[in-house]
């Protein structure tokens, strides 16, 4: 995650980010820890989270992104 001005940049249009922390730094640190890990269970959870999309479809519905 990265904040530039009023914009928050994230990898996926998904709602899982608070699972990894309450601040940008906490989320980044938690995801980095998974990436450094050799635990397949942690990787599996992260990959499943990253694969969820279209959680913020907007007023026009799915497919807007």
């Amino acid at each position: 995650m990265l904040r530039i001005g009023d914009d928050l940049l994230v990898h996926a249009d998904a709602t899982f980010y608070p699972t990894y922390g309450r601040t940008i730094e906490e989320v980044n640190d938690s995801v980095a820890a998974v990436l450094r890990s050799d635990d397949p269970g942690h990787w599996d959870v992260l990959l499943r989270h990253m694969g969820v999309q279209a959680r913020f479809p907007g007023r026009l519905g799915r497919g807007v992104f």
Side-chain angles (χ1 to χ4, degrees):
M1 297 176 73
L2 174 68
R3 181 176 301 280
I4 299 177
D6 291 335
D7 298 321
L8 180 63
L9 306 178
V10 294
H11 173 269
D13 56 330
T15 57
F16 70 87
Y17 292 99
T19 302
Y20 291 92
R22 296 177 49 94
T23 67
I24 293 171
E25 293 78 18
E26 287 177 358
V27 171
N28 288 341
D29 289 346
S30 294
V31 171
V34 172
L35 296 177
R36 288 189 305 269
S37 169
D38 61 357
D39 183 328
H42 291 165
W43 274 85
D44 184 55
V45 171
L46 178 62
L47 291 173
R48 276 189 277 123
H49 282 150
M50 290 286 186
V52 174
Q53 297 178 346
R55 292 296 183 189
F56 305 116
R59 62 182 173 80
L60 300 176
R62 292 181 74 88
V64 172
F65 293 102

